[in-house]
Amino acid sequence: MDWQPWLRPAAEDPAARPATAADALARLADGNRRFRADAAACGGVVPGATAPPRQAPFGVVLGCSDARVPLELVFDAAPNQLFVVRVAGNVLGDECLGSVEYALHSFRESVRLVVVLGHTGCGAVAAAVDTYLSPKHAAGIAFSRSLRTVVNHILVAARSAALSLEQVHGTDVLEDPNYRAALAELTVPLNAAVTAYQLSVELGTREAGGPAVAYGVFDLLSATVAGPPDLAAVGLSAAPTAPEDLVDLGVRLAGSPLVTRHLHLIPGPFSE
Ligand SMILES: [Zn+2]
């Protein structure tokens, strides 16, 4: 595994960046040659085999397309262990839900868990937060129906995050210079929680025999997957089972260091 792209992004390192489309294509072909050699060395390719391995993932993961969050690598999973659905903002559109349902139907013997994974610094969440704060300035998104579709899903969490911040810190929080950063930070776990809740409702997990649904947030700085509201340790949380759970989560996180480290929280003239 070459970790250099993580440590020093190719975009900032001309020597590591393919200069042309042909270079990029050659990079991919070289990568597949290495993968093929690794697969053969590990027994993933069986000489003389006439049928591919049977697909049998133990987990289904819905995560963001962000290049810094490669889902199999984040969980140190091998091929055929995870059925992965990636879409910007890890939102639950029809095709994503259909993909998850397909996996649950086709691999019911092996799948034990469905996971929604959000991540810090999510560009899709940032776009949704900006749209929520200033709809008239979100022109680039407004003119693209497909982009709007992604953002619209996340607006539910952005609004919930905004309400939580006001409930915990009062309307003064709106004047805080870092309000946007705090709102984006809070929207990330809430968006993952909302998606996990929607997924569990769609899949009927509260009925007997439904799959377990969990969710978490990947932190780009520490490479930790954590289950809200506890963001300090490695783990995943069970999907919220009611809308009230989402409100409780928003309030708990709004008062936590995740959010308060962004806010100045200077007492105003009318505060006690
Ligand atoms: Zn993202």
Side-chain angles (χ1 to χ4, degrees):
M1 171 67 58
D2 179 7
W3 280 87
Q4 196 57 31
W6 175 283
L7 302 171
R8 191 172 58 172
E12 296 169 11
D13 180 1
R17 180 178 58 205
T20 65
D23 290 346
L25 197 149
R27 179 80 60 89
L28 293 178
D30 286 345
N32 180 247
R33 287 187 193 96
R34 290 192 299 273
F35 179 80
R36 193 175 59 174
D38 288 348
C42 297
V45 175
V46 180
T50 55
R54 192 171 58 85
Q55 190 173 182
F58 71 82
V60 175
V61 183
L62 170 59
C64 184
S65 302
D66 193 298
R68 299 164 296 180
V69 194
L71 297 176
E72 285 94 340
L73 298 181
V74 159
F75 292 113
D76 194 21
N80 207 7
Q81 292 188 324
L82 297 178
F83 185 96
V84 169
V85 182
R86 291 180 73 172
V87 59
N90 41 274
V91 297
L92 193 64
D94 286 348
E95 291 82 357
C96 295
L97 176 59
S99 299
V100 172
E101 287 184 348
Y102 163 78
L104 292 173
H105 180 264
S106 302
F107 316 122
R108 66 180 69 183
E109 299 298 318
S110 62
V111 171
R112 296 291 176 266
L113 183 66
V114 180
V115 171
V116 176
L117 189 69
H119 69 96
T120 61
C122 184
V125 166
V129 164
D130 288 341
T131 301
Y132 175 79
L133 291 176
S134 184
K136 67 181 177 183
H137 292 125
I141 293 163
F143 287 122
S144 163
R145 186 192 64 80
S146 43
L147 259 180
R148 221 165 44 229
T149 302
V150 171
V151 165
N152 283 347
H153 279 283
I154 306 174
L155 285 177
V156 176
R159 176 172 162 74
S160 177
L163 293 174
S164 300
L165 284 174
E166 283 186 46
Q167 184 177 337
V168 172
H169 302 293
T171 51
D172 284 356
V173 75
L174 297 169
E175 307 304 323
D176 194 289
N178 287 334
Y179 175 65
R180 179 191 173 277
L183 184 58
E185 194 85 73
L186 182 53
T187 301
V188 165
L190 288 182
N191 181 51
V194 165
T195 305
Y197 170 69
Q198 292 169 337
L199 197 48
S200 65
V201 169
E202 293 286 348
L203 300 175
T205 58
R206 279 169 288 175
E207 297 161 20
V213 178
Y215 74 102
V217 172
F218 177 76
D219 178 36
L220 291 178
L221 287 176
S222 67
T224 301
V225 171
D230 179 7
L231 298 172
V234 171
L236 292 163
S237 297
T241 56
E244 302 85 76
D245 294 349
L246 292 165
V247 174
D248 288 345
L249 179 67
V251 169
R252 286 185 68 173
L253 289 174
S256 78
L258 170 80
V259 167
T260 56
R261 67 196 163 108
H262 289 288
L263 300 174
H264 291 67
L265 299 173
I266 300 167
F270 303 110
S271 59
E272 294 173 45

